[in-house]
Every structure is written in C-alpha cells, then in structure tokens.
Amino acid sequence: GDLEIYDTTDWRCTARVPGHDGAAVSSLAWCAPYSPDGEEGEEGVGGGGESCRLLSAGLDGQITEWDLSTLRARGATDSHGGSVWAMAAEPSPA
C-alpha cells in the first residue's frame, strides 16, 4: 500500500509514497538520528544535517526504509521471521 504523509496543523496530505501493489503496511517507525552526545542538529537530534528516517513493514515480512526527499525506497530487507506486526525505534541514551 501507499504511505501518506500529513501536515498535522491542518491534517492535509502533503506527500504520497507509492508502495508495492497488493502489499499492506502493518507498521511504521519514525526514527530520529542518533547522536552519542544528544546535541541538537540542524534537522533534529543527531547533528551533521542527518534527517529522520521512516521505516515501514508489512505482513509479507519486508521492512523498507523510505527516502522522503525522493519519495522512493532507500533500501529493504526481509524480517527473517514472517509477518511484521509492530516496530519501535529505540530512543537515544539520555
């Protein structure tokens, strides 16, 4: 399925990332860049201009990282365990 990105100020769809035909997204994880010192960077925690990462997973067992600037898949891997029902990003240490 497609991923839709919404602006939460007015709940307007600002981008649509085309997914795979017949695939259903069962989980999303939004990950902030990691920084061992925890300092703020230009685009959020992490410094070095790194951007946040969006990962999706589905019942087909595929986990995909999305490039939100090009609206294309950056990379994908198999879960090696079947369907993915949930994902969570581990927060950086305090």
Side-chain angles (χ1 to χ4, degrees), residues 10-80:
D10 60 3
W11 297 105
R12 174 177 51 91
C13 182
T14 59
R16 178 167 289 142
V17 182
H20 303 288
D21 288 337
V25 175
S26 60
S27 180
L28 292 173
W30 191 267
C31 308
Y34 172 74
S35 173
D37 57 13
E39 291 185 19
E40 290 284 329
E42 289 181 22
E43 297 183 40
V45 177
E50 296 177 40
S51 61
C52 293
R53 299 166 68 188
L54 179 63
L55 301 162
S56 69
L59 302 180
D60 61 358
Q62 184 154 343
I63 301 169
T64 305
E65 179 181 358
W66 297 95
D67 184 332
L68 297 178
S69 62
T70 64
L71 302 179
R72 296 185 137 170
R74 182 176 287 166
T77 189
D78 188 74
S79 69
H80 301 289

